[in-house]
Amino acid sequence: MARDEVVILGVGMHPWGKWGQNFVEYGVAAARAALADAGVAWTDIQFVSGACTMRCGYPGYVAGATFAQALGWNGARIASSYAACASGSMALEAARAQIRSGRCDVALVVGADTTPKGFLAPQAGERPNDPDWLRFRLLGATNPTYFALYARRRMDLYGTTERDIAEVRVKNAQHGFTNPYARYRQELTVDAVLASNMVADPLRLLEICATSDGGAAVVVASADYARKKGVTSGVKIAAVSTVTPSYPSDQIEMPDFATDSWAVVPRPGHAFRDSVARAAYEEAGLGPEDMSLAEVYDLSSAMELDWYEQLGLAEAGEGERLLHDGVTRLGGRCPVNTSGGLACFGEAVPAQALAQVCEVTWQLRGTAGPRQVKNAKTGITANQGLFGHGSSVILTR
Amino acid sequence: MARDEVVILGVGMHPWGKWGQNFVEYGVAAARAALADAGVAWTDIQFVSGACTMRCGYPGYVAGATFAQALGWNGARIASSYAACASGSMALEAARAQIRSGRCDVALVVGADTTPKGFLAPQAGERPNDPDWLRFRLLGATNPTYFALYARRRMDLYGTTERDIAEVRVKNAQHGFTNPYARYRQELTVDAVLASNMVADPLRLLEICATSDGGAAVVVASADYARKKGVTSGVKIAAVSTVTPSYPSDQIEMPDFATDSWAVVPRPGHAFRDSVARAAYEEAGLGPEDMSLAEVYDLSSAMELDWYEQLGLAEAGEGERLLHDGVTRLGGRCPVNTSGGLACFGEAVPAQALAQVCEVTWQLRGTAGPRQVKNAKTGITANQGLFGHGSSVILTR
Amino acid sequence: MSTDKPKVPAVEGWFESNGPNPHLIGGQCEKCGTISFPREKSFCKNPSCDSTSFRAVPLSQRGTIWSYTNACYKPPAPYVASDPYVPFGIAAVELEKEGMVVMGQLAHGVRVEDVRVGMEVELVVETLFATEEKELLVWKWKPVAS
Amino acid sequence: MSTDKPKVPAVEGWFESNGPNPHLIGGQCEKCGTISFPREKSFCKNPSCDSTSFRAVPLSQRGTIWSYTNACYKPPAPYVASDPYVPFGIAAVELEKEGMVVMGQLAHGVRVEDVRVGMEVELVVETLFATEEKELLVWKWKPVAS
Ligand SMILES: [Zn+2]
Ligand SMILES: [Zn+2]
């Protein structure tokens, strides 16, 4: 049903880290970088699509307006989207829909966050109606609890070892080592990973992503607008998937206490996480075999193994083989997390799905420097926000 | 640039009030009512567009997912939009863009809130970087403070009297008196309004909208989809305006401490609030003279007089004349707030812009009962969220 | 852990702690029979069902471990942790009859080394934390003595 | 209202309270000259300017009332209200040179009846609230004695 191609004209990031500034600064810095990269003046932007942060007061809730005001009101229309870790993709889709529906020619998408140290915790106050509050209160279930459940099940079912998980972390450290936007830039050994403290069995400190400050921005435009700017061979958006589960979902998802029940209505043919990339492949008319690289959401290093299978790069239980064969390493058939992934960046929730888009764009342009994937033609991103927000973007050149 | 008409297939509301339930219940009730009104099964909905509430924990932040899960996961794509009081319009625009870009045929838009009693106050905690926290801390500036500044300036500049303001309130009470969804259904006299306590000079308790629980939902579809459902003469969306200010904006806006400066860059030709409806008229190719009715955002009764002028129904300073001539009363040339407005509903932030759309839809269908505007053909809504979120929707039949 | 303080559930209506057969309380749709936990009271989660009527039903006391982990570090508030902090286990347990997976802490003293995916567990009620006045109770999962 | 407690600004860097000429502190873009309050330190608010350099500048001590109101009811936290509560006025004041409107409370004792749109006011510094240890100061607007 696609009628219009939407082009990535520019991308920009603020380095990830712990900078102690207001999130607005990271967002505006990323936005200015993306505008400069695109060669588009801020005053020409017709639509600003912000990915919200819930941690930074009202300015975070109205991210689109906050960035627009900080860049200087230009009368643009705005949106502010929230989908937890998938917020960046939702904001990108909001901008893409405005362009494809003919309501604007060029739009700016921005996400940025200032994240507290330690476990992500709910805001203060008693909220006994809020499952996100209750899972902390009644179970002490932090975010890593859920990642650990997935990891431990994988180990017991498929024989994944602690060493396998650590090797994912080591690979991503090697990838992110030279990325100037990454926060953690040090090579690691499997032994060093396995020597780090256990947080949620079987996951160790170095296998769980930290929380970071950071910002990322993307300038998107209609093909017509790009042509007028003289851009004829840019990076294009082939798909944006923002699917939700189909009932009954049998995967325990943050922040729920229980899955749906499959006693009355049988389970759908595919699990939720498998459907995320599937919807993107369908829209793009492409398959896993066409992907030159992938940026996936390694909230834990074990989760990356799941994504190999959920992206269709391997059969269920075959993720470890892919890793050991070097398929997902730089130089392999389909390198995964060439940026270093969340392992090297840490979470900056509203920015990270956009940071994935930045990385794939640089790879497709051939400007990724030491971490360049040779002859990269098509890349896929995947992540997931709690409460059933799937997210996957396919870019091509 | 419009390529596709987007049709309002169904609308639904949960009555406004203080019900003490979870906001999800109001939203799902409204959604089910809208689906029934549209004759569309929930399982046929392809896109769910939620208007977020920031008061109800994580489920409020991810309103689209929350409502989708509560209605039963159906695999639909989702969005969650926040623009304070304009959230409903932003969510409507998100759904419209999906339809117009060919990404879906039928979508559900939902907003609902549970609102605390008394002044809207910032969440707990020290947030010295958040202007919305600082305006309470340093100035004791509540929401009515800002409305009162506009009202008092109007009085000193145009000679508006306290009686004029009270008469707006009395008119809206007469309109909302028979509305089954309104919370306050009692006729009022000017004397009763003027006898109520002063809150923020010149505004009295009965002239400032309360905070309410409530929900509203809209089912929108492509013209093709509507035709297949046998709907050929439905209500159509002619425009959705979601503009922001142009720099420098010389109106003091919640939650700011100061306006932009116009010392270096001269002020734009039109004030921000004038630009909200102007953008809608432009998109629709219609003007104020074409409007059969208007639903405007009477956070204070005085503000409704401002809207008359900002919608182009009267010249600046002529709003009172319009009121006294009965133009904006049921039976007049262009009745305003036939629903009773916020005066009779109270604020339920993410729901209210959608409630305006419900009312105009009923009016255009000719099913508004005792408050029906004769031969209503076109209606406009207008409201504004803090941080520069303008919002205006034009519907036609 | 046990004291003379009054014992009350840490959450209202989610589980039955009195008597010999403690169990979780689910909701069952009176129209389609779908079961939910926590108990749905407003709208059926089955997307093809428009019911708004539900009955409370006891959930199975036994199930099998779907997966498990532990909390080596003290969780942040609103969790109320013991002082000094003692790590605890968490399990996701599949209930066969209900066709669902339900989370819960592992019973006091049960370590991750003691369990594995597929192991049979049963529901017990234990103290979650204590205040000055009372002990707050919660459901937990415990391996079935074999 | 005045005590012997140390007096400190209720917000850092927004106004100068010492000396005979209290004033607000704005930011001025070193490239385009645009003025902001509170003081912009990162990015110029002029959409056509990409500057990131700003200097602190004193804002005019006098202006004219753009509009005004009062707070008849006690504002909610984080406002710290006097007990018993005493209503106070609030004004939005236009500064001619800077071309901007800045809000502030009306000085202690100034009622809405005492002011009107267009009236000249000047900035004063008064106590906003006091804690056990100190008095927190804030800027306010006061009609110019004629
Ligand atoms: Zn049912
Ligand atoms: Zn400048």
Side-chain angles (χ1 to χ4, degrees):
Chain A
M1 300 212 286
R3 306 189 208 166
D4 283 302
E5 253 172 16
V6 174
V7 176
I8 305 237
L9 268 194
V11 294
M13 283 172 68
H14 183 287
W16 257 236
K18 281 283 182 189
W19 311 110
Q21 306 297 310
N22 192 306
F23 80 101
V24 184
E25 304 205 10
Y26 314 136
V28 173
R32 286 190 171 190
L35 289 164
D37 185 42
V40 171
W42 155 242
T43 44
D44 289 341
I45 291 291
Q46 299 157 345
F47 186 77
V48 180
S49 189
C52 309
T53 159
M54 295 307 157
R55 244 185 309 284
C56 304
Y58 240 103
Y61 304 161
V62 293
T66 296
F67 296 129
Q69 187 179 33
L71 286 157
W73 291 122
N74 73 350
R77 291 181 304 111
I78 46 177
S80 297
S81 301
Y82 190 70
C85 302
S87 299
S89 305
M90 191 183 273
L92 182 68
E93 172 62 13
R96 185 171 77 136
Q98 289 293 319
I99 292 169
R100 290 175 61 169
S101 68
R103 282 276 277 170
C104 80
D105 305 304
V106 58
L108 173 68
V109 189
V110 192
D113 208 2
T114 292
T115 326
K117 221 181 135 125
F119 289 122
L120 292 177
Q123 290 186 326
E126 297 256 327
R127 290 193 308 285
N129 280 326
D130 179 355
D132 196 54
W133 187 87
L134 283 165
R135 59 143 168 153
F136 282 90
R137 178 65 154 207
L138 297 178
L139 298 183
T142 61
N143 294 11
T145 300
Y146 291 82
F147 318 150
L149 290 174
Y150 307 145
R152 178 50 72 177
R153 182 167 169 85
R154 180 173 188 95
M155 290 172 79
D156 280 19
L157 289 191
Y158 299 147
T160 311
T161 64
E162 290 200 34
R163 209 173 166 82
D164 292 333
I165 299 172
E167 283 181 16
V168 173
R169 181 64 182 86
V170 169
K171 168 188 74 71
N172 287 346
Q174 283 165 348
H175 286 178
F177 183 50
T178 57
N179 189 339
Y181 295 103
R183 174 176 171 193
Y184 300 105
R185 275 173 282 170
Q186 55 184 40
E187 299 212 62
L188 283 171
T189 63
V190 168
D191 288 343
V193 175
L194 292 177
S196 68
N197 285 346
M198 192 71 87
V199 174
D201 183 284
L203 301 177
R204 295 171 182 281
L205 198 55
L206 285 174
E207 295 165 339
I208 295 173
C209 85
T211 56
S212 289
D213 299 350
V218 179
V219 175
V220 286
S222 64
D224 271 357
Y225 186 93
R227 251 191 305 278
K228 279 181 205 146
K229 297 287 293 184
V231 177
T232 51
S233 63
V235 173
K236 299 177 238 4
I237 301 177
V240 182
S241 156
T242 56
V243 295
T244 53
S246 290
Y247 182 88
S249 179
D250 65 356
Q251 290 283 311
I252 187 88
E253 295 281 358
M254 208 157 70
D256 291 337
F257 285 81
T259 62
D260 293 331
S261 160
W262 56 85
V264 170
V265 180
R267 282 175 270 194
H270 55 270
F272 170 48
R273 282 204 197 76
D274 294 331
S275 72
V276 174
R278 179 185 303 234
Y281 289 137
E282 241 175 63
E283 190 197 344
L286 296 168
E289 66 284 1
D290 300 311
M291 298 301 121
S292 315
L293 76 150
E295 284 284 305
V296 307
Y297 200 47
D298 57 326
L299 281 167
S300 82
S301 301
M303 204 177 271
E304 183 173 313
L305 296 168
D306 293 337
W307 279 118
Y308 294 170
E309 301 159 12
Q310 288 150 359
L311 290 186
L313 298 173
E315 296 295 314
E318 298 291 323
E320 290 77 6
R321 192 185 46 74
L322 227 63
L323 176 74
H324 297 314
D325 290 354
V327 173
T328 59
R329 190 182 300 278
L330 263 176
R333 213 288 291 152
C334 180
V336 173
N337 282 337
T338 53
S339 69
L342 290 181
C344 298
F345 275 74
E347 284 194 284
V349 174
Q352 55 212 32
L354 295 174
Q356 293 181 326
V357 169
C358 292
E359 174 68 11
V360 175
T361 299
W362 286 318
Q363 291 285 357
L364 299 189
R365 286 178 179 171
T367 59
R371 59 183 200 285
Q372 180 64 46
V373 174
K374 270 195 203 134
N375 198 26
K377 287 192 169 147
T378 305
I380 187 168
T381 77
N383 80 20
Q384 191 203 330
L386 41 59
F387 285 93
H389 292 95
S391 146
S392 178
V393 177
I394 295 178
L395 303 182
T396 62
R397 69 168 163 92
Chain B
M1 301 213 285
R3 308 188 206 167
D4 283 303
E5 253 173 15
V6 174
V7 177
I8 305 241
L9 268 193
V11 294
M13 283 172 69
H14 183 287
W16 257 235
K18 280 284 181 188
W19 311 110
Q21 305 298 310
N22 192 306
F23 80 99
V24 184
E25 305 206 9
Y26 314 135
V28 174
R32 288 190 169 189
L35 289 164
D37 186 42
V40 172
W42 155 240
T43 44
D44 289 341
I45 291 291
Q46 300 157 344
F47 186 77
V48 181
S49 189
C52 309
T53 158
M54 297 306 155
R55 243 185 309 285
C56 303
Y58 240 103
Y61 303 161
V62 293
T66 296
F67 295 130
Q69 186 179 33
L71 286 157
W73 290 123
N74 73 350
R77 290 181 304 112
I78 46 177
S80 298
S81 301
Y82 190 70
C85 302
S87 299
S89 306
M90 191 183 274
L92 182 68
E93 172 62 13
R96 185 171 77 136
Q98 289 293 320
I99 292 170
R100 290 175 61 170
S101 66
R103 283 275 277 170
C104 81
D105 304 306
V106 57
L108 172 67
V109 189
V110 192
D113 208 2
T114 292
T115 324
K117 219 180 137 135
F119 288 121
L120 291 177
Q123 290 186 324
E126 296 258 324
R127 289 195 307 286
N129 279 326
D130 180 354
D132 196 54
W133 187 87
L134 283 165
R135 59 145 167 150
F136 282 90
R137 178 66 153 208
L138 298 178
L139 298 182
T142 61
N143 294 12
T145 300
Y146 290 82
F147 318 150
L149 289 174
Y150 307 146
R152 176 52 69 180
R153 182 167 170 86
R154 181 174 186 93
M155 290 173 79
D156 280 19
L157 288 192
Y158 299 149
T160 311
T161 64
E162 290 200 33
R163 209 176 165 81
D164 293 333
I165 298 172
E167 284 181 14
V168 173
R169 180 66 182 85
V170 168
K171 167 187 75 70
N172 287 345
Q174 284 165 350
H175 286 177
F177 182 51
T178 58
N179 189 340
Y181 295 103
R183 174 175 173 193
Y184 300 104
R185 274 173 283 170
Q186 56 184 36
E187 298 213 61
L188 283 171
T189 62
V190 167
D191 288 344
V193 174
L194 292 178
S196 68
N197 284 347
M198 192 71 86
V199 174
D201 184 283
L203 301 177
R204 294 171 183 280
L205 199 55
L206 285 175
E207 295 164 341
I208 295 173
C209 85
T211 57
S212 288
D213 298 350
V218 179
V219 175
V220 286
S222 64
D224 271 358
Y225 186 94
R227 252 190 306 276
K228 281 180 204 147
K229 298 287 292 182
V231 177
T232 50
S233 63
V235 173
K236 299 178 241 358
I237 301 178
V240 181
S241 155
T242 55
V243 295
T244 53
S246 290
Y247 182 88
S249 179
D250 65 355
Q251 290 283 311
I252 187 87
E253 295 282 359
M254 209 156 72
D256 291 336
F257 285 81
T259 62
D260 293 331
S261 160
W262 57 85
V264 171
V265 180
R267 284 174 269 194
H270 54 272
F272 170 49
R273 283 204 197 76
D274 294 331
S275 71
V276 175
R278 179 187 302 232
Y281 289 137
E282 243 176 60
E283 191 197 341
L286 296 168
E289 65 284 0
D290 300 311
M291 298 301 119
S292 313
L293 75 149
E295 283 284 305
V296 307
Y297 199 49
D298 57 326
L299 282 168
S300 82
S301 302
M303 204 178 271
E304 183 172 313
L305 297 168
D306 293 337
W307 279 118
Y308 294 169
E309 301 159 12
Q310 288 150 0
L311 290 185
L313 298 172
E315 296 294 315
E318 298 291 322
E320 292 76 6
R321 192 185 44 74
L322 226 65
L323 175 73
H324 297 313
D325 290 354
V327 173
T328 60
R329 189 181 301 276
L330 264 176
R333 212 289 292 153
C334 180
V336 173
N337 282 336
T338 54
S339 68
L342 290 181
C344 297
F345 275 75
E347 284 193 283
V349 174
Q352 55 212 33
L354 294 174
Q356 292 181 327
V357 169
C358 292
E359 174 68 10
V360 175
T361 299
W362 286 320
Q363 291 286 357
L364 298 189
R365 286 177 178 172
T367 59
R371 59 183 200 285
Q372 180 63 47
V373 174
K374 269 193 205 135
N375 198 27
K377 287 193 168 147
T378 305
I380 186 168
T381 77
N383 79 21
Q384 192 203 329
L386 40 58
F387 284 92
H389 292 95
S391 146
S392 178
V393 177
I394 296 178
L395 303 181
T396 61
R397 70 165 164 90
Chain C
M1 292 282 272
S2 201
T3 65
D4 290 339
K5 297 174 188 172
K7 294 176 167 57
V8 298
V11 61
E12 250 344 290
W14 285 33
F15 63 97
E16 175 57 55
S17 54
N18 294 320
N21 296 313
H23 56 263
L24 295 172
I25 301 168
Q28 183 165 35
C29 176
E30 296 194 351
K31 193 164 174 183
C32 76
T34 282
I35 286 177
S36 56
F37 179 82
R39 183 183 166 191
E40 185 55 60
K41 292 175 181 170
S42 303
F43 302 103
C44 187
K45 285 190 158 180
N46 174 352
S48 301
C49 177
D50 63 359
S51 169
T52 54
S53 298
F54 304 87
R55 68 175 75 87
V57 289
L59 299 191
S60 300
Q61 290 166 270
R62 292 196 175 191
T64 54
I65 287 189
W66 183 86
S67 193
Y68 56 96
T69 182
N70 60 5
C72 302
Y73 288 84
K74 189 169 80 166
Y79 189 72
V80 182
S82 59
D83 184 18
Y85 176 68
V86 181
F88 56 90
I90 295 179
V93 172
E94 184 167 337
L95 307 181
E96 193 186 3
K97 197 184 77 182
E98 290 81 1
M100 68 197 303
V101 172
V102 181
M103 286 173 74
Q105 290 192 359
L106 283 168
H108 186 70
V110 180
R111 299 161 308 159
V112 287
E113 294 79 5
D114 303 328
V115 294
R116 62 177 191 282
V117 169
M119 177 183 273
E120 193 173 16
V121 290
E122 67 183 351
L123 185 136
V124 294
V125 169
E126 291 187 357
T127 298
L128 177 63
F129 64 93
T131 66
E132 295 282 307
E133 302 86 29
K134 53 196 178 184
E135 274 184 47
L136 282 298
L137 302 176
V138 80
W139 76 94
K140 298 192 182 182
W141 297 110
K142 185 176 189 170
V144 173
S146 53
Chain D
M1 291 282 272
S2 202
T3 65
D4 290 338
K5 296 174 190 171
K7 295 176 167 59
V8 299
V11 61
E12 251 343 290
W14 285 34
F15 63 97
E16 176 56 54
S17 55
N18 293 320
N21 297 312
H23 57 263
L24 296 171
I25 301 168
Q28 182 165 35
C29 175
E30 295 195 352
K31 193 162 172 183
C32 77
T34 282
I35 286 177
S36 55
F37 180 82
R39 184 184 164 190
E40 185 56 59
K41 292 175 182 172
S42 304
F43 302 103
C44 187
K45 286 189 155 179
N46 174 352
S48 302
C49 177
D50 63 0
S51 169
T52 54
S53 299
F54 304 86
R55 67 176 75 88
V57 288
L59 300 189
S60 300
Q61 292 166 271
R62 291 197 174 189
T64 54
I65 287 187
W66 184 85
S67 192
Y68 56 96
T69 181
N70 60 5
C72 301
Y73 288 84
K74 188 169 80 166
Y79 189 72
V80 183
S82 59
D83 183 21
Y85 176 68
V86 181
F88 57 89
I90 294 178
V93 172
E94 184 168 338
L95 307 181
E96 194 187 0
K97 198 184 74 181
E98 291 81 1
M100 67 196 304
V101 172
V102 181
M103 287 172 72
Q105 290 193 358
L106 283 167
H108 187 70
V110 179
R111 300 161 309 159
V112 289
E113 294 80 4
D114 302 329
V115 294
R116 61 177 192 283
V117 170
M119 178 183 271
E120 192 174 15
V121 291
E122 67 184 353
L123 185 135
V124 294
V125 170
E126 290 186 358
T127 298
L128 177 63
F129 64 91
T131 66
E132 295 282 307
E133 301 86 29
K134 53 196 178 185
E135 276 185 45
L136 282 298
L137 302 177
V138 78
W139 77 95
K140 300 191 182 181
W141 297 110
K142 185 176 189 171
V144 173
S146 53

